[in-house]
Amino acid sequence: MPNALRRPVNAISIAMSLGVPRESARTKLAGLVERGVLARTDGGFVLRAEVSQSKPFKSAMEAFLLATVEFVDGLAMLNACGARDGDRVVTPAWPVAGLATRLMTAHVLKGIQHARSLKPEISLTTHYVLLWLSHLTGSALRVGHGEPDAGRLALLNPPFGPVSVIEVAKAARMDDETVRRHLGQLEKTGLVIRVAGKRDINLPDRTLVANWLDFQSRTILGTQQLVRKLYVAGVIVDRPSETIRLF
């Protein structure tokens, strides 16, 4: 589709959806225009047509689809959030790639908004590091339970306990010192604590735990809504497990 026919989005909308300053959004968007990723139109910005047809973009889409498949498989295995055991992403998945990506991206952005409510004053990147730490330490499984579920969740081999800066950096694909700096900021806010030289979510803080539980409730509700939309859109179908083909 030509750039002129694509639906644009403006800097204000992007800034509001990500919870970042408008000038920061404008600066980043201008940089993407200079790099040839985006095109500026009367209504805002669009992804350039040639970029959407490029090999790197298609590779990224393929990786995103594989991540979606893993996400759905994990939920279905647990009969969680409305996903039923045995149901899978339709194969081949490529025909529904655009729709699946749009629904999944909207879900991720809402999750970021919910996460930012934990500590609105810290940066988006710092929240990104916080979410990785939460995932790697299995904090969601430990809030109010003490031990992770030894039943169905054990099939997914969930992480559990404090992790090193290097582990967070590797998972987040960031350099060690940058992650160390962000974790230091999180320690100052009381969201993160040190345990034997490693880092963990500050679960002993009851106020913080209450906020985490609220965040989890929002995430679960959002995921249930996402799963329903994926079923309605035909992205998830009732069929036996099979090898996933993207094309």
Side-chain angles (χ1 to χ4, degrees), residues 46-64:
V46 296
L47 181 69
R48 295 178 66 90
E50 52 268 37
V51 172
S52 65
Q53 297 300 317
S54 67
K55 185 175 181 179
F57 184 83
K58 289 183 177 180
S59 295
M61 284 288 290
E62 183 174 336
F64 195 91

Side-chain angles (χ1 to χ4, degrees), residues 7-205:
R7 182 180 178 181
V9 62
N10 59 47
I12 294 177
S13 297
I14 292 177
M16 291 179 63
S17 67
L18 293 176
V20 300
R22 295 180 183 180
E23 283 307 312
S24 296
R26 290 192 181 98
T27 299
K28 295 295 184 182
L29 289 167
L32 290 171
V33 170
E34 290 180 5
R35 291 166 56 187
V37 177
L38 301 180
R40 195 188 302 269
T41 69
D42 291 338
F45 302 86
V46 296
L47 181 69
R48 295 178 66 90
E50 52 268 37
V51 172
S52 65
Q53 297 300 317
S54 67
K55 185 175 181 179
F57 184 83
K58 289 183 177 180
S59 295
M61 284 288 290
E62 183 174 336
F64 195 91
L65 276 177
L66 286 173
T68 300
V69 168
E70 293 176 0
F71 173 75
V72 171
D73 282 352
L75 291 177
M77 184 185 300
L78 301 174
N79 281 299
C81 297
R84 299 182 294 269
D85 189 19
D87 290 359
R88 296 291 184 267
V89 170
V90 64
T91 57
W94 195 250
V96 297
L99 185 55
T101 300
R102 184 174 180 83
L103 290 172
M104 290 293 293
T105 301
H107 177 67
V108 171
L109 291 174
K110 287 180 181 178
I112 291 173
Q113 289 179 329
H114 295 332
R116 297 210 71 178
S117 67
L118 292 170
K119 215 70 172 177
E121 63 270 24
I122 63 178
S123 72
L124 182 61
T125 304
T126 304
H127 272 102
Y128 176 70
V129 172
L130 175 64
L131 289 177
W132 266 114
L133 180 67
S134 174
H135 171 70
L136 294 172
T137 59
S139 62
L141 306 178
R142 296 153 56 200
V143 173
H145 300 290
E147 294 290 339
D149 191 327
R152 292 179 300 167
L153 281 177
L155 297 173
L156 301 180
N157 190 28
F160 184 67
V163 294
S164 67
V165 172
I166 294 176
E167 289 176 287
V168 179
K170 182 178 180 180
R173 297 184 180 182
M174 300 169 66
D175 66 82
D176 296 355
E177 287 308 311
T178 298
V179 169
R180 194 183 306 277
R181 184 175 69 253
H182 286 290
L183 288 173
Q185 294 174 10
L186 290 167
E187 285 185 67
K188 291 179 180 178
T189 65
L191 291 170
V192 170
I193 57 175
R194 295 195 187 201
V195 180
K198 296 186 176 183
R199 306 297 191 278
D200 199 358
I201 300 297
N202 188 8
L203 296 182
D205 186 323

Side-chain angles (χ1 to χ4, degrees), residues 202-213:
N202 188 8
L203 296 182
D205 186 323
R206 293 186 177 182
T207 300
L208 176 59
V209 167
N211 291 336
W212 272 112
L213 289 173

